[in-house]
Amino acid sequence: MRRVVAGNWKMNHGPSETRAFLDSFEMPTGEGVPRVLIFPPSVSLAAAVAHPGRPGGLELGVQNIHFEASGAFTGEVSAAMALDAGATLTLVGHSERRHVFGEDDATVARKAAAAAAAGLTPVVCVGEKLEERRAGDLASVLLRQLDAVLDLLPGTAEWLLAYEPVWAIGTGETATPADASQAHGILRERLAARGWSGPEVPVLYGGSVKPGNARELMDAPGVDGVLVGGASLDPTDFSAIVEAGRR
Ligand code: 13P
């Protein structure tokens, strides 16, 4: 499977900074390069789409959508709107959406299903909090989050999964490659047990990925790529992480 390197800019890089990023981002090309995805803030999407120096092959997504198609939902955007604006993917269920904005498993699942129905590829994020991990609940949390999505997602959907342990996000604490492999194994086993027979689902690792640890994480069994927060804001660092994913 072709590796995937994704950058989630979170609430960083407005339109001007997005243009500046793309002016200096050198996207690795040639044999074995990963797919490269960037998730800018929605208001910066147009700047990225229209940028004359946008590297060919760079895929753009939004960080969140609403599950309804339209209506009185102040501040929200729908999957169809994001698609119309030039996004081809959306993050769904990022831990900050779950834990800062209170999205529950059912909401995340509805968003994933709405994205897929509109033709926007969902990148479904799952992950356990530190206290859940310490309590031995890693598998039960991941499976609860995954099952909710599998209950609603059509079996033909193209989608990606991202394992992002909450304790490793923005903390400088990285899961070890073995931790990542273990969690990815849990997710893959469940996909198989639930009879997933749609398109192959790449499973990414996210949480304090940097140029210095990206390669060993992507080399870990079961890890198909990375979802990068802080280090994706810097064009040189992000380029180095993409290069680290070259097979
Ligand atoms: P950091 O890479 O900053 O830890 O963020 C990870 C993340 O949340 C990506 O979605």
Side-chain angles (χ1 to χ4, degrees):
M1 183 192 304
R2 193 168 166 211
R3 278 187 178 145
V4 181
V5 172
N8 170 15
W9 285 356
K10 310 192 179 185
M11 199 170 73
N12 299 287
H13 287 354
S16 310
E17 291 159 308
T18 296
R19 285 187 281 269
F21 176 98
L22 290 174
D23 280 339
S24 47
F25 174 57
E26 286 181 27
M27 181 142 134
T29 54
E31 195 89 347
V33 286
R35 280 174 75 183
V36 182
L37 328 177
I38 293 184
F39 296 84
S42 302
V43 291
S44 301
L45 186 62
V49 168
H51 196 270
R54 174 184 167 191
L58 172 63
E59 300 172 60
L60 295 168
V62 290
Q63 298 171 12
N64 180 38
I65 53 153
H66 195 274
F67 48 75
E68 295 289 356
S70 63
F73 301 103
T74 301
E76 298 289 316
V77 301
S78 71
M81 290 171 190
L83 196 69
D84 188 25
T88 53
L89 305 112
T90 182
L91 298 180
V92 171
H94 188 275
S95 78
E96 288 144 22
R97 298 301 318 171
R98 292 177 188 267
H99 303 304
V100 182
F101 298 102
E103 287 184 16
D104 59 14
D105 294 332
T107 303
V108 172
R110 288 180 77 182
K111 290 183 175 198
L120 198 62
T121 303
V123 180
V124 175
C125 305
V126 297
E128 82 290 3
K129 295 194 269 190
L130 187 57
E131 58 267 32
E132 292 167 333
R133 186 177 188 84
R134 287 198 175 134
D137 293 337
L138 169 69
S140 64
V141 170
L142 297 185
L143 297 180
R144 192 197 72 222
Q145 294 176 342
L146 177 61
D147 279 345
V149 170
L150 285 173
D151 287 346
L152 292 193
L153 205 61
T156 52
E158 194 186 309
W159 60 299
L160 295 83
L161 258 171
Y163 167 61
E164 297 205 309
V166 181
W167 47 272
I169 295 179
T171 57
E173 284 282 324
T174 316
T176 63
D179 290 335
S181 287
Q182 180 200 12
H184 289 215
I186 290 169
L187 294 167
R188 280 181 202 290
E189 259 178 44
R190 188 63 140 221
L191 282 171
R194 293 274 311 239
W196 179 261
S197 59
E200 205 174 1
V201 183
V203 186
L204 317 185
Y205 166 79
S208 298
V209 175
K210 308 283 177 227
N213 62 17
R215 189 179 299 272
E216 61 167 3
L217 285 162
M218 282 189 269
D219 280 346
V223 177
D224 301 314
V226 285
L227 177 55
V228 187
S232 72
L233 296 173
D234 179 90
T236 309
D237 283 352
F238 191 55
S239 189
I241 294 172
V242 175
E243 188 56 53
R246 190 189 291 270
R247 283 202 201 271

